[in-house]
Structures are given as structure tokens and as C-alpha cells.
Amino acid sequence: MRELVADCRLRAATDLFTHTWDPVVLAALHQRPHRRRELRDAIGGISDKALTESLHRLTGNGLVARDAYAEAPPRVEYGLTPLGRSLVDGPMRALGRWADEHGEELLDAQG
């Protein structure tokens, strides 16, 4: 078994779930790319600052792409990259199934 060190791949992967809004933003982008306002409306409850920070982190991690179109007025859309799609379709989907099955138990244990 490989030694798990602080800068290992497992830590890098689990860090993707340490920010509250990041998985929510990824899930909101699952169906199609969104403009910023559409994304904020689709999520509900997220502040402008939190959305900006989340998009910046997710773009920096290669999970979300920012596409700017030279139109009048300018249009910017955010969408999942292939890496982001693999995260949403794989581990996030599995976590969602687990939460559906065991969410009540988890909440009861925390209560």
C-alpha cells in the first residue's frame, strides 16, 4: 500500500469537496453551460462573492471552463470540462446515491 502524504492525489481529490458551494456549482453545470446570472438563479441562496470564489477555484482546478464570446453585449458561459464531467458523473453521483440511502442515519447520528 502506498504511503499517504500531505500532498498526495487523495488529498487533492478530497479538497474538491471542502468548499460548501463547489459541489453545488458543479451539479448546476451538469446539464449544460450557464451564464453567471443563470447559474446564480439556478442555485439559489449563493452570494455573488461565494459564486465568484467557487468559479475561480473550479476553473483553477480544471473542472470548469470559462468561455467568453465576442458579441454585443459580451457573453460569458461556464461549463464543465471533461475532468469536471468525470467528477460529477463518477464520485459525486456515487456520493449522491449514498446520501439518498444513508442521509437520515447520518442526520440522526449528528443530532
Side-chain angles (χ1 to χ4, degrees), residues 59-102:
T59 302
N61 282 320
L63 301 172
V64 169
R66 180 187 184 274
D67 296 315
Y69 299 90
E71 299 175 351
R75 177 171 56 107
V76 175
E77 288 185 345
Y78 295 91
L80 295 178
T81 63
L83 182 62
R85 183 156 304 285
S86 72
L87 177 64
V88 172
D89 289 340
M92 283 183 58
R93 183 166 293 190
L95 183 59
R97 282 192 303 268
W98 183 87
D100 283 345
E101 289 179 30
H102 302 286

Side-chain angles (χ1 to χ4, degrees), residues 4-111:
L4 299 178
V5 294
D7 62 347
C8 73
R9 292 177 180 155
L10 179 61
R11 179 166 182 215
T14 56
D15 280 352
L16 298 173
F17 295 99
T18 60
H19 297 279
T20 303
W21 289 109
D22 291 3
V24 177
V25 171
L26 290 169
L29 291 171
H30 183 255
Q31 294 301 317
R32 64 177 179 81
H34 287 285
R35 295 175 85 163
R36 183 183 173 75
R37 179 176 290 276
E38 294 174 328
L39 190 54
R40 198 176 77 207
D41 292 346
I43 293 172
I46 189 169
S47 70
D48 239 14
K49 180 182 178 194
L51 180 58
T52 298
E53 291 171 351
S54 183
L55 288 170
H56 186 261
R57 266 191 309 277
L58 295 170
T59 302
N61 282 320
L63 301 172
V64 169
R66 180 187 184 274
D67 296 315
Y69 299 90
E71 299 175 351
R75 177 171 56 107
V76 175
E77 288 185 345
Y78 295 91
L80 295 178
T81 63
L83 182 62
R85 183 156 304 285
S86 72
L87 177 64
V88 172
D89 289 340
M92 283 183 58
R93 183 166 293 190
L95 183 59
R97 282 192 303 268
W98 183 87
D100 283 345
E101 289 179 30
H102 302 286
E104 290 301 320
E105 294 171 66
L106 182 62
L107 292 174
D108 288 347
Q110 292 175 351

